[in-house]
Amino acid sequence: MRLRDILLALLIGVGLWQLLVVITDAPHFILPSPWRVAQAAWRSRAIIAENAWVTLTEVLLGLLVGTVLGALTAIQLAYSRTAERLVLPILVFTQAVPVFALAPLLTLWFGYGMGSKIVMAVLIIYFPVTSAFHDGLVRIDSGYRDLSISMSANRWNFLRHIQIPNALPSLGTGLRLAAVYAPIGAVIGEWVGASRGLGYLMLLANGRAKIDLMFASLIVLACLTVVLHILVGLLATQLTRYARGISIT
Amino acid sequence: MAGSPGILLRGRHRVDGKLLFDVELDIPAGRWTCLLGKSGVGKSTILRLILGLDTGGDFSGAFHATDDAPLDGRISYMAQSDLLLPWLSVLENVCIGARLRGQNPGLARAERLLDRVGLSRHAAQKPGTLSGGMRQRAALARTLFEDRPIVFLDEPFSALDAGTRADMQELAAEVLVGRTVLLVTHDPAEAARLADQITVLTGEGARNWPVPVTPPLRAINAPETLACQAQLLDYLRGRKACA
């Protein structure tokens, strides 16, 4: 994705938005124009920045904790056949429970602060990271396994020196998904109960019919997610380059 | 290498209840045995069986080293695919066995082996930057690093171009001298050049094929090599009875 393409897509998006405003002639408290939203964003920049920082912190901590837990689970599942047999079905089963439905419970358990939002983000990214990394760990050229057996390798060293480096591109795939999901988790947590964060600000603006501010918060959230996605994408690319023996740039 | 034992194998192997082979195989100590046969006849299965790898079938019978010591940890293995780890340097790949066993990698010895296979200038490079022939030389150095008296080679040169293959055969013959080598190959020319013993595997069993009287490594264009190769090819194509 080149910068020129991103700017062009942005311009087209804003153009279509403006066109929709003109065609539908919707009142500004239903669909504000891009210019009106830009003005609201500038006017409320301090409050948006403050709340964006809260959401960003929740997302980054959720991403970090979720990735570490997901990666450790995947390694444990790949290391122990018993764990794989017992835990994997449970993990798949838990995915049948919509994480969003747990948000009120998490708020009850972890309070209105950052904790419940971080846990929400962790829960939402844990499975994609675990699943993608585990898939990479077990999907390995059987020749490596044969070679390791002939070399009298022990199981842990095989996992450490061959399976894990070989699965880094898959971990990267999981991270890319996590970067998109983590903000969703944090914002849903904020919607259910919070006194800070972009999700909270959106609800607040909506309640006070400040739709332009709500749009501004939404756009900032989208920008945060896109930047996070790009940065995590760069990290994932480096992981793939490492695993393929291409020098890291 | 002193003390390289031979291997004796007797038994039958079934896959899904169907007999794959019923053989008596005698792999002489300290020599090159080339195992030939049509695809699917079970050449690689024999090798995998002795190595303790999954064969996808049931073996009833026995195999053992001629010195009666266990075979575990005394066989090194080289496959058709070089199996070099792309994220490690060539040098690190050579000593991967030590890392996998949790031992000191012994880089100095790995460097000497790379020098022996002519790759010392490429020690720090990643495998992806090497040609197919160079990669197989690195895999050969990795096999040598294991320093085991028995070496199993499963069509290690079959994916190489003709010139590189001939070079690799010469290098392997030189560096593996004195070890008990079992080479699984499809190529009668390779067997005719390298073998002290040629064993042809068929559905009926394993039978030894007469090898040229000259010792290996034989010249590609030597009359006895060419004759042996031609007769083997005829036999494998079903145009000639066993010699």
Side-chain angles (χ1 to χ4, degrees):
Chain A
M1 217 171 3
R2 284 185 304 180
L3 189 64
R4 199 188 65 182
D5 298 340
I6 296 173
L7 289 177
L8 195 65
L10 208 64
L11 212 62
I12 292 171
V14 172
L16 287 174
W17 178 5
Q18 181 64 46
L19 194 67
L20 200 65
V21 171
V22 171
I23 291 171
T24 58
D25 198 23
H28 65 81
F29 55 86
I30 298 288
L31 180 64
S33 67
W35 176 240
R36 205 180 170 90
V37 170
Q39 282 177 312
W42 180 250
R43 261 197 322 273
S44 310
R45 60 187 180 279
I47 191 170
I48 291 178
E50 187 187 317
N51 285 285
W53 175 249
V54 171
T55 303
L56 183 66
T57 310
E58 291 163 0
V59 168
L60 289 179
L61 284 175
L63 202 58
L64 184 71
V65 175
T67 303
V68 170
L69 286 180
L72 288 177
T73 308
I75 289 170
Q76 176 59 30
L77 292 178
Y79 184 67
S80 158
R81 293 249 162 78
T82 314
E84 191 176 23
R85 236 181 15 251
L86 297 178
V87 178
L88 207 54
I90 298 173
L91 270 182
V92 174
F93 179 75
T94 57
Q95 289 308 293
V97 181
V99 183
F100 313 127
L102 295 176
L105 204 58
L106 295 178
T107 308
L108 181 72
W109 287 346
F110 297 98
Y112 282 81
M114 274 191 181
S116 56
K117 287 76 194 171
I118 295 169
V119 173
M120 187 76 188
V122 167
L123 281 184
I124 210 166
I125 68 167
Y126 174 70
F127 187 76
V129 171
T130 305
S131 171
F133 194 30
H134 176 254
D135 197 42
L137 288 170
V138 297
R139 206 164 20 84
I140 190 164
D141 182 343
S142 61
Y144 288 133
R145 216 175 276 278
D146 294 344
L147 186 70
S148 302
I149 293 171
S150 79
M151 287 175 165
S152 318
N154 75 43
R155 199 160 159 66
W156 168 246
N157 283 330
F158 176 63
L159 183 73
R160 183 180 155 204
H161 293 299
I162 298 186
Q163 276 180 295
I164 292 177
N166 183 64
L168 288 179
S170 301
L171 178 64
T173 306
L175 283 177
R176 282 179 205 265
L177 284 175
V180 178
Y181 289 162
I184 299 175
V187 167
I188 287 174
E190 288 171 358
W191 281 348
V192 172
S195 52
R196 290 187 304 167
L198 283 175
Y200 159 77
L201 189 60
M202 283 160 71
L203 278 192
L204 189 74
N206 193 33
R208 294 180 182 178
K210 289 185 172 175
I211 307 303
D212 45 7
L213 177 59
M214 191 184 148
F215 265 76
S217 309
L218 188 64
I219 290 169
V220 170
L221 178 67
C223 290
L224 280 185
T225 307
V226 168
V227 170
L228 192 65
H229 182 66
I230 292 172
L231 291 178
V232 169
L234 289 174
L235 174 68
T237 306
Q238 297 305 335
L239 290 177
T240 303
R241 289 176 70 90
Y242 171 78
R244 291 186 182 156
I246 306 165
S247 54
I248 291 173
T249 51
Chain B
M1 176 180 256
S4 299
I7 298 173
L8 296 171
L9 178 141
R10 311 264 181 281
R12 55 182 59 187
H13 190 75
R14 291 177 189 278
V15 178
D16 296 328
K18 212 175 120 190
L19 185 70
L20 182 65
F21 58 74
D22 180 357
V23 292
E24 285 190 24
L25 184 63
D26 186 350
I27 302 168
R31 319 287 289 275
W32 276 68
T33 299
C34 292
L35 190 59
L36 276 109
K38 290 182 177 170
S39 294
V41 78
K43 305 185 296 292
S44 294
T45 305
I46 288 182
L47 183 148
R48 295 180 65 83
L49 198 65
I50 301 172
L51 271 168
L53 303 177
D54 183 29
T55 58
D58 297 314
F59 177 70
S60 55
F63 54 86
H64 61 89
T66 49
D67 60 4
D68 287 326
L71 282 164
D72 278 356
R74 292 206 291 167
I75 309 175
S76 57
Y77 167 61
M78 184 174 167
Q80 180 180 358
S81 164
D82 55 70
L83 297 173
L84 296 174
L85 301 168
W87 55 88
L88 296 182
S89 70
V90 172
L91 183 68
E92 289 165 328
N93 262 290
V94 170
C95 50
I96 185 67
R99 278 192 184 194
L100 289 173
R101 290 185 291 274
Q103 299 166 345
N104 186 317
L107 292 176
R109 193 161 71 83
E111 277 168 4
R112 282 199 299 277
L113 290 170
L114 274 181
D115 189 37
R116 200 165 171 200
V117 299
L119 281 181
S120 49
R121 281 194 305 119
H122 305 277
Q125 284 176 237
K126 296 283 165 64
T129 63
L130 304 183
S131 68
M134 289 159 100
R135 291 172 66 102
Q136 278 307 68
R137 274 194 274 160
L140 183 61
R142 182 187 61 202
T143 311
L144 288 172
F145 184 85
E146 295 302 291
D147 197 24
R148 295 181 175 183
I150 307 167
V151 179
F152 281 5
L153 307 172
D154 193 359
E155 300 182 52
F157 316 130
S158 59
L160 302 175
D161 65 81
T164 311
R165 190 185 317 155
D167 292 343
M168 277 302 295
Q169 288 165 353
E170 285 161 19
L171 180 64
E174 179 198 325
V175 297
L176 295 176
V177 72
R179 293 173 208 259
T180 303
V181 179
L182 177 63
L183 170 69
V184 168
T185 178
H186 275 115
D187 184 2
E190 191 164 83
R193 273 197 98 190
L194 291 168
D196 291 297
Q197 172 179 296
I198 296 175
T199 302
V200 182
L201 189 66
T202 64
E204 286 79 49
R207 54 185 63 174
N208 288 342
W209 189 268
V211 290
V213 287
T214 51
L217 176 82
R218 301 174 189 95
I220 298 170
N221 56 357
E224 65 276 13
T225 313
L226 292 172
C228 176
Q229 171 190 343
Q231 286 166 4
L232 261 175
L233 186 60
D234 276 348
Y235 178 68
L236 292 170
R237 296 174 76 192
R239 293 184 181 175
K240 185 180 192 301
C242 186

